[in-house]
Amino acid sequence: MTERNTGCFGGATQYVVHPKPETLEAISAEVYRARSKFPGREKLLAALMEEVGELAQAMLRRKPLGEIRKEACQVACVAIRLYEEGDADFDRRTWNAVGCESKAESEIVVPVCSISPGVFWMGSEGDSEAFDDEKPRHRVQITRPFELMTTPVTQALYEHVSGKNPSSRKDPKAPVTDVSWFDAVAFANALSERMGLPKAYAIDGTEVRWDRGSTGYRLPTEAEWEYACRAGTEAPRYGPLDAIAWYNKNSDGRTHAVGEKAPNAWGLHDMIGNVWDWCWDWKASYSSGEVSDPAVSAEGSYRVARGGSSRGDARSARAADRAFSPTGSASVALGFRLARYAP
């Protein structure tokens, strides 16, 4: 049985990706220049400089910006009005980065659900839509609690961290696509570094080693993915297909903004449909016996992807369905979401 405290019943935990150091440096430089432009406003501007310094220190300490954002915004928004009155060349974007109006320019929120340990049936048995590689159905024990992003990685998050957006169809709210398995693990390390977490992967060219003791971001194992997708259910899907998934009958052949379809019982969206999620495992056949925390690390030819896509049919939009792709391949149907062991 799955423990009842699994999921996002009280709302997803939200992690903040902090501003880059160069953003804060730009704010500091803008304040410093402004102090000489506005005689008589030195006290206000000095206060703003102090708040910017607090933002910088918060980032270095990995302290949530929300703890000091209110005070910083109060000062910064007054400064914006002053600047707009007296300086037509003032770069509003710099001040937006403090968080007064354009939050997206300075930080991205990463919602995750907490997944408790448990035991579930993995694969298919007696499902007329099942493929042979989903068999035999077998018991799997997940022994370690972990966190899983509530949606696939969006284009906005990917670009915020990596500085690029490889997706063929651009939409910041939609899943990032056209990413290879190597792109996904590299991004996981980059996000871990940005969040002050240890990297989960040691990457040397095309050789990738997973440190299973790390609490950094990583791809979920295939077993973790299916466990989270099922959310305590044993049916092929966790709800009516059109209500929970974008697939070829309702998607107009394209990806859609994440989180628009109904979540599963644990608060996870788009586990089925929209984009396939890369997983850690290499392709391998299932065994019939019960296993604990399986993760196929023995090198093969293909990595696993799960969940179906906006271009896939109903048969691929099932919790047990498996897809396989070379590690270097990328397509409009492939995306990913990240996991990490609970701290």
Side-chain angles (χ1 to χ4, degrees):
M1 293 293 292
T2 302
E3 295 186 20
R4 299 182 67 86
N5 63 339
T6 289
C8 305
F9 306 117
T13 300
Q14 294 189 339
Y15 294 114
V16 173
V17 182
H18 296 291
K20 295 180 179 179
E22 52 264 34
T23 300
L24 297 174
E25 290 170 5
I27 294 171
S28 298
E30 194 81 45
V31 176
Y32 185 80
R33 288 193 299 271
R35 294 175 72 174
S36 63
K37 290 183 179 181
F38 298 92
R41 308 286 184 164
E42 291 87 351
K43 186 174 181 179
L44 172 62
L45 293 168
L48 180 54
M49 178 68 91
E50 184 177 346
E51 295 293 353
V52 171
E54 283 292 312
L55 285 168
Q57 288 301 312
M59 188 185 70
L60 292 173
R61 297 194 303 268
R62 304 297 169 182
K63 176 182 176 183
L65 295 184
E67 294 182 15
I68 60 171
R69 179 168 297 283
K70 182 178 179 180
E71 292 77 10
C73 285
Q74 286 174 344
V75 179
C77 288
V78 172
I80 286 174
R81 288 196 296 272
L82 291 174
Y83 286 2
E84 289 183 334
E85 290 170 5
D87 186 357
D89 296 327
F90 172 63
D91 186 355
R92 187 183 185 90
R93 291 174 302 170
T94 302
W95 292 104
N96 284 347
V98 181
C100 295
E101 297 186 11
S102 182
K103 185 176 180 181
E105 292 201 14
S106 65
E107 66 183 33
I108 296 286
V109 174
V110 182
V112 300
C113 279
S114 297
I115 311 294
S116 299
V119 179
F120 76 107
W121 285 103
M122 186 172 182
S124 295
E125 195 71 46
D127 179 0
S128 61
E129 295 182 297
F131 292 96
D132 289 343
D133 58 29
E134 301 169 25
K135 304 172 184 178
R137 186 169 180 252
H138 57 291
R139 296 283 280 176
V140 174
Q141 184 174 18
I142 302 295
T143 67
R144 296 181 64 176
F146 64 98
E147 295 176 341
L148 186 66
M149 289 182 175
T150 61
T151 69
V153 171
T154 62
Q155 294 177 32
L157 176 58
Y158 193 90
E159 186 169 5
H160 187 78
V161 174
S162 71
K164 55 189 176 182
N165 180 2
S167 306
S168 300
R169 179 182 173 275
K170 300 295 192 286
D171 178 351
K173 295 181 180 180
V176 68
T177 60
D178 302 89
V179 284
S180 69
W181 186 90
F182 290 120
D183 292 330
V185 296
F187 178 85
N189 270 2
L191 182 59
S192 295
E193 184 175 21
R194 191 73 170 271
M195 300 293 282
L197 299 169
K199 294 179 181 179
Y201 300 119
I203 302 174
D204 183 9
T206 59
E207 182 180 351
V208 180
R209 297 186 304 279
W210 172 23
D211 176 4
R212 298 191 70 167
S214 172
T215 56
Y217 285 102
R218 58 177 178 80
L219 292 173
T221 65
E222 184 179 17
E224 287 174 335
W225 189 96
E226 186 169 332
Y227 176 61
C229 179
R230 290 188 176 282
T233 67
E234 294 187 8
R237 304 174 184 90
Y238 51 82
L241 184 54
D242 281 292
I244 65 173
W246 293 111
Y247 69 114
N248 67 349
K249 296 298 185 182
N250 65 7
S251 68
D252 196 28
R254 61 180 178 87
T255 58
H256 291 257
V258 301
E260 290 186 343
K261 292 295 187 177
N264 68 10
W266 292 352
L268 299 164
H269 295 266
D270 300 306
M271 291 298 289
I272 291 177
N274 221 358
V275 290
W276 291 96
D277 286 339
W278 280 115
C279 295
W280 163 256
D281 305 60
W282 290 97
K283 177 182 178 180
S285 298
Y286 289 156
S287 59
S288 58
E290 182 169 328
V291 291
S292 295
D293 300 319
V296 181
S297 298
E299 188 168 345
S301 300
Y302 300 93
R303 294 280 184 173
V304 176
R306 288 300 209 105
S309 76
S310 61
R311 297 189 171 199
D313 61 11
R315 190 179 184 188
S316 66
R318 294 177 299 111
D321 188 58
R322 312 170 74 196
F324 312 100
S325 190
T327 51
S329 67
S331 81
V332 294
L334 273 169
F336 66 99
R337 73 180 72 212
L338 297 178
R340 63 183 290 250
Y341 282 126

